[in-house]
Amino acid sequence: MIQRRHFTVAGLAALATPTWAAFPDKPIRILVGFAAGGPADTCARLAARLMSETLGQQVVVENRAGAGGALATQAVLKSAPDGYTLLLCAFADVLNPIIRPKEATFHLPDDFTPITRITGVGNMLVVHPSVPAASVAEFVAYARVNPGKLNYGSAGVGSASHLAGELLAGLAKVKVTHVPYKGTAQAQVDLQAGTLPFMFDSIISAQPNVQAGKLRSLAVTTATRSPAVPQVPTMAEAGVADYDLTSWFGLAAPRGTPAAITEQLASALRQGLRRAEARDALMLLGGQPDDMSTQEFERYLRSESARWKKLFGDGTVRIDT
């Protein structure tokens, strides 16, 4: 009788075991809302490689570019909350519901379960050597006596390079003119030619031209200095109070994903991000590995979402989509 009772309890325990106890038992997908080869794709493929090695299961990357990244986000939003479909979330996922509400019908902190942040990278305010400014303060003064005459290029409407200029205009109370490009390649050519007087370019792209004397660097857009160019001050240090524009990348799962799975995924990725391979790969983007817990990442997402909603709401940042 005792032996039979022991068997029954064991059987009930087995029946009560969640179906995700053996997670992962099939490949995991990471959806990326941007084309292959860019920073988001690079972060996703690094995360996939690091997690595959730790989890012992294949992690694959799928690119679904479109609507400023919102296509991939909407697809993951509709996926089963089982840990097998993840989102390479990015700065754009905080902005899209604000600037593209028809395409982006989601709120990242509420509709997704954050896993961890991979890295944060910034842009660099660079000017053509003909611009009479060796600092941000001198540039702002120059812009104020030339309202609307200073054009800057960007990767397109709503891009980080666009918002960086609008944030400067709003916080420093200057009027500059945005010229959108289809990507930054031609904008960089025009900047070096002097057709554009300034631009917020990626640090990794701008720094070789700064070193060659083709451009002058004034500041980086992040809240802290970049490890790639530690000698360059932040915009806030250079006199534009409260300036912070960080293009961050992380992983998130559909809301409702079991906490045990979320923690397992976060642990695998954070473990991988501590490796030299990750540090070297992210340094090429101008960033460094993060080590946020799922709770810290969720607090960060809520803070960023509220901050940018306020910046748009009070008119500090204005864009026409």
Side-chain angles (χ1 to χ4, degrees):
M1 178 68 71
I2 294 175
Q3 184 177 9
R4 181 178 179 184
R5 183 178 181 183
H6 177 74
F7 174 80
T8 302
V9 171
L12 288 173
L15 290 173
T17 301
T19 57
W20 39 263
F23 179 87
D25 61 4
K26 63 180 181 179
I28 297 170
R29 299 184 303 156
I30 299 177
L31 270 59
V32 183
F34 303 91
D41 180 69
T42 298
C43 287
R45 294 184 189 280
L46 173 65
R49 185 165 65 253
L50 297 174
M51 294 170 70
S52 292
E53 294 172 2
T54 302
L55 296 171
Q57 183 59 259
Q58 185 181 22
V59 182
V60 298
V61 174
E62 293 184 14
N63 298 88
R64 297 194 185 182
L71 289 184
T73 308
Q74 295 283 176
V76 176
L77 181 64
K78 299 174 183 177
S79 299
D82 56 10
Y84 289 102
T85 304
L86 308 178
L87 173 70
L88 191 286
C89 56
F91 175 55
D93 290 307
V94 165
L95 294 176
N96 279 331
I98 302 172
I99 64 178
R100 297 183 177 91
K102 292 183 179 179
E103 295 94 344
T105 57
F106 58 82
H107 183 243
L108 191 64
D110 291 329
D111 296 329
F112 290 85
T113 298
I115 295 174
T116 192
R117 201 177 90 156
I118 297 170
T119 193
V121 299
N123 284 2
M124 183 188 288
L125 171 56
V126 286
V127 298
H128 187 266
S130 63
V131 175
S135 67
V136 172
E138 290 178 356
F139 179 79
V140 169
Y142 181 63
R144 283 177 177 161
V145 298
N146 292 279
K149 296 179 181 180
L150 300 185
N151 297 341
Y152 74 99
S154 80
V157 174
S159 64
S161 49
H162 175 199
L163 289 165
E166 296 307 309
L167 186 59
L168 170 63
L171 293 177
K173 309 300 181 185
V174 296
K175 185 177 181 180
V176 292
T177 301
H178 174 232
V179 181
Y181 287 75
K182 293 182 179 180
T184 58
Q186 186 57 48
Q188 292 163 351
V189 171
D190 288 349
L191 177 64
Q192 292 176 45
T195 305
L196 293 174
F198 80 103
M199 181 177 169
F200 286 89
D201 199 4
S202 70
I203 294 171
I204 297 304
S205 174
Q207 185 58 11
N209 293 317
V210 171
Q211 293 174 327
K214 298 178 181 178
L215 300 174
R216 185 184 305 124
S217 62
L218 301 185
V220 294
T221 64
T222 44
T224 58
R225 295 195 182 200
S226 168
V229 286
Q231 75 281 6
V232 180
T234 68
M235 292 288 290
E237 288 176 330
V240 185
D242 300 321
Y243 194 106
D244 175 19
L245 192 153
T246 301
S247 295
W248 54 265
F249 304 96
L251 279 189
R255 179 63 68 178
T257 301
I261 289 181
T262 302
E263 291 298 335
Q264 187 176 352
L265 292 168
S267 177
L269 180 52
R270 291 172 69 191
Q271 181 179 329
L273 288 171
R274 297 186 186 108
R275 293 165 52 181
E277 171 193 355
R279 184 186 64 246
D280 294 344
L282 294 174
M283 181 66 79
L284 294 176
L285 297 178
Q288 57 188 342
D290 283 330
D291 192 23
M292 287 187 182
S293 68
T294 55
Q295 295 79 14
E296 289 171 333
F297 190 31
E298 180 166 3
R299 287 195 293 270
Y300 176 79
L301 292 178
R302 292 192 182 282
S303 173
E304 277 289 273
S305 181
R307 185 170 73 92
W308 283 98
K309 187 174 181 179
K310 181 178 184 299
L311 286 169
F312 276 91
D314 65 16
T316 300
V317 176
R318 303 170 184 268
I319 66 171
D320 296 320
T321 53

